[in-house]
Amino acid sequence: MFDGLKEKLDSFRSDVEESADAAEMESEADAVESESESESDPDPDSTAEAEPEAEATADADGSDDSGPGRLQRAKAFATGKVVLEEEDLEDPLWNLEMALLESDVEMGVAEAILDDLRESLIGETKSQMASTGDLVADALRDALLDVISVGQFDFEARIAEADKPVTIVFTGVNGVGKTTTIAKMARYLEERGYSSVLANGDTYRAGANEQIREHAEALGKRLIAHEQGGDPAAVIYDGVEYAEANDVDVVLGDTAGRLHTSSDLMAQLEKIDRVVDPDLTIFVDEAVAGQDAVERAKQFDDAAEIDGAVLTKADADSQGGAAISVAYVTGKPVLFLGTGQGYDDLDRFDPEELVADLVG
């Protein structure tokens, strides 16, 4: 999973290592030249006169006080240190930005990652024996965690601590695996000791009742459904009443797939929110949708506030841009990844585990 993005991050580490090696060679040359100049001109007065000249030369080169400069770099090398300057990272950072965008990472998210890396690496001093790759890996790990971990909360703790029944409503566009995700969630909860009832609030799509009923029967779950064209809020409300009367822990409410531009369907979500007051609203989309999934998550959150997201088809996504971007763009976490068609193919999204896999 996310092999394409992992390859791009590995390439960035290699690029920085090459730049750091070149900087180390340059520092060594500067140190040798500085030592030669010192030996050939031991007169303190002449050295004092040379320093302003060196500063003037540095100014003429366009150098400024923002970086260590040639002499400072030479001094650092003489004490066994190498300093990474902005010029060492300029090309690798540019290549990384292009790689992130190609991997469907949202532009603002890519910029946030690059800003973190600049802050972590520019001016960083490392020993000549230290691994630049390790230095970059640490910086990448921190930068990625900063954007991926936004809004994270413990889903299971939220379920455990909430008054029962817990009502979870699932939203998203058509055809992204929303109903199958609900079935997977029923299995996930059952394996952790929670009973659930399914409520089909998708009352507009022909065949919606039959689709979710097949899942309910396969899982041995009760389904609450009305006739096609009924009121979605009423269906989910009936599901909550059933759960209260029968000591069921969780109500899993399906809704019609919709685009954010459909004012009537978005109004339905607002009515469901008023009538049912769900404990969690979960946005579902495909990881392979990339930038589209990120944009839709933002739009749904703007129109009808979500609490988190599930990304389906993550097993088919070699890039990972949506998984990295959704939380940062919406401020709401990715909670689960769908990794197959089976009922057990729903994995908790763990930012630290993902970053460890990407960075190593």
Side-chain angles (χ1 to χ4, degrees), residues 139 175 226 313 318:
H226 290 186
K313 298 185 180 179
S318 67

Side-chain angles (χ1 to χ4, degrees), residues 18-274:
E18 289 179 9
S19 294
D21 288 344
E24 188 168 339
M25 293 176 64
E26 182 181 338
S27 298
E28 182 177 8
D30 289 343
V32 170
E33 184 178 344
S34 178
E35 183 177 349
S36 299
E37 290 173 354
S38 177
E39 290 176 353
S40 63
D41 189 8
D43 184 350
D45 293 334
S46 63
T47 302
E49 291 174 1
E51 285 178 354
E53 182 180 344
E55 291 175 4
T57 303
D59 290 340
D61 291 341
S63 302
D64 57 36
D65 294 335
S66 63
R70 176 174 172 271
L71 293 178
Q72 287 89 335
R73 213 168 196 177
K75 290 178 181 178
F77 185 86
T79 59
K81 304 289 185 182
V82 177
V83 181
L84 295 177
E85 293 193 80
E86 185 166 4
E87 63 189 41
D88 302 324
L89 299 171
E90 184 176 350
D91 288 342
L93 285 172
W94 167 256
N95 292 336
L96 177 62
E97 182 175 12
M98 294 301 100
L100 290 173
L101 295 177
E102 289 169 3
S103 296
D104 291 325
V105 175
E106 195 270 341
M107 182 174 293
V109 180
E111 289 173 353
I113 292 171
L114 295 175
D115 287 344
D116 274 2
L117 288 172
R118 286 190 184 93
E119 185 175 344
S120 298
L121 293 174
I122 292 175
E124 185 70 16
T125 303
K126 74 179 192 71
S127 69
Q128 293 167 25
M129 300 302 293
S131 166
T132 306
D134 289 343
L135 189 69
V136 177
D138 289 342
L140 270 173
R141 190 175 296 110
D142 291 343
L144 290 170
L145 276 176
D146 279 348
V147 300
I148 298 175
S149 299
V150 171
Q152 277 292 321
F153 62 84
D154 189 327
F155 177 82
E156 292 178 31
R158 180 77 67 90
I159 299 297
E161 294 166 4
D163 294 336
K164 305 300 185 291
V166 179
T167 305
I168 306 175
V169 171
F170 293 78
T171 68
V173 300
N174 290 308
V176 297
K178 181 160 45 65
T179 303
T180 302
T181 296
I182 290 171
K184 292 179 181 182
M185 181 62 71
R187 170 63 63 82
Y188 182 91
L189 292 168
E190 181 180 25
E191 290 176 344
R192 285 152 184 81
Y194 298 105
S195 57
S196 62
V197 59
L198 280 57
N200 184 32
D202 183 358
T203 59
Y204 283 81
R205 181 169 58 92
N209 275 344
E210 289 72 17
Q211 181 187 7
I212 196 169
R213 181 173 285 111
E214 288 180 7
H215 289 305
E217 291 175 353
L219 293 165
K221 301 297 178 184
R222 177 64 184 269
L223 172 66
I224 306 299
H226 290 186
E227 293 299 320
Q228 185 177 345
D231 183 353
V235 181
I236 299 176
Y237 184 80
D238 286 352
V240 175
E241 287 198 322
Y242 175 86
E244 290 174 342
N246 294 274
D247 288 329
V248 176
D249 297 315
V250 183
V251 180
L252 300 174
D254 200 356
T255 61
R258 66 202 70 206
L259 294 173
H260 75 289
T261 53
S262 175
S263 57
D264 290 343
L265 290 175
M266 295 311 289
Q268 282 183 11
L269 286 182
E270 294 172 2
K271 183 177 180 181
I272 290 170
D273 191 60
R274 291 196 312 270

